[in-house]
Amino acid sequence: MAKKQKTEQPRPADDEISEFRAQWRFARISARKARLLTDLIQNRQLDQATNLLRFSKKRAAVMVGKVLKSAAANADEKEADMRELYVKESFCDDGPIIKRMQPKDRGKSYTIFKRTCHITVVLGSGENPKAKVKAKGSNNRKAAKAA
């Protein structure tokens, strides 16, 4: 039986790379709590996402902020234009569950689930295709009623 030969696809040059990824695996927080913040920063400019996380009171904001900062450092290392970076993707997947037992009365024991998750942030460079563009005069209530 003949072996299949791998056909290697050419890798893009460093100046063509427009996606920068960072991941925190096995973060000790539930995915449900971290998802609130990964959904919050999706499709936002890098500086706007950083400010949102910095002033959030949620515990997961620190974790997602570290992953975002790491992705920005990866982009800086590849000499990307830092002003054009935006959050292309940010998501949170379930990780393994650490199970512990809590002793209860009359010989019973209850299971405690210590949940983990994998936080991933992908930054894109260039024009954000999903950016929300405000129309002129959208802040004015009278203009909104007239339209």
Side-chain angles (χ1 to χ4, degrees):
M1 187 173 219
K3 288 186 177 180
K4 287 185 180 179
Q5 288 187 355
K6 276 189 176 178
T7 56
E8 290 191 26
Q9 296 178 353
R11 293 190 70 203
D14 285 343
D15 58 337
E16 294 177 13
I17 295 175
S18 63
E19 198 172 271
F20 309 96
R21 174 181 298 263
Q23 191 174 34
W24 184 342
R25 301 197 62 214
F26 309 104
R28 264 296 292 123
I29 193 164
S30 73
R32 181 178 178 178
K33 293 175 183 176
R35 243 181 234 123
L36 292 171
L37 292 158
T38 56
D39 291 344
L40 179 70
I41 65 169
Q42 190 123 18
N43 299 319
R44 297 194 188 259
Q45 292 296 325
L46 177 62
D47 55 346
Q48 186 183 11
T50 306
N51 285 335
L52 278 172
L53 293 174
R54 185 181 299 143
F55 294 110
S56 175
K57 293 182 178 182
K58 301 213 173 278
R59 185 176 138 238
V62 175
M63 297 178 170
V64 176
K66 285 182 181 182
V67 178
L68 183 66
K69 190 175 177 182
S70 175
N74 291 342
D76 192 30
E77 187 67 26
K78 296 287 185 183
E79 298 177 359
D81 187 8
M82 299 300 284
R83 291 170 293 176
E84 292 186 3
L85 290 178
Y86 68 96
V87 181
K88 188 174 184 178
E89 280 182 272
S90 63
F91 55 92
C92 187
D93 296 325
D94 288 323
I97 298 172
I98 304 166
K99 294 177 183 161
R100 296 290 180 258
M101 302 306 286
Q102 174 73 40
K104 293 292 178 180
D105 58 337
R106 297 188 299 178
K108 290 182 185 177
S109 64
Y110 291 165
T111 307
I112 296 174
F113 296 114
K114 295 179 180 260
R115 299 182 185 273
T116 62
C117 67
H118 307 307
I119 304 168
T120 306
V121 173
V122 180
L123 296 180
S125 67
E127 188 70 26
N128 184 355
K130 295 182 181 177
K132 297 172 185 165
V133 179
K134 286 187 177 179
K136 284 188 177 180
S138 63
N139 292 341
N140 190 350
R141 284 185 179 175
K142 291 179 183 177
K145 284 183 180 179

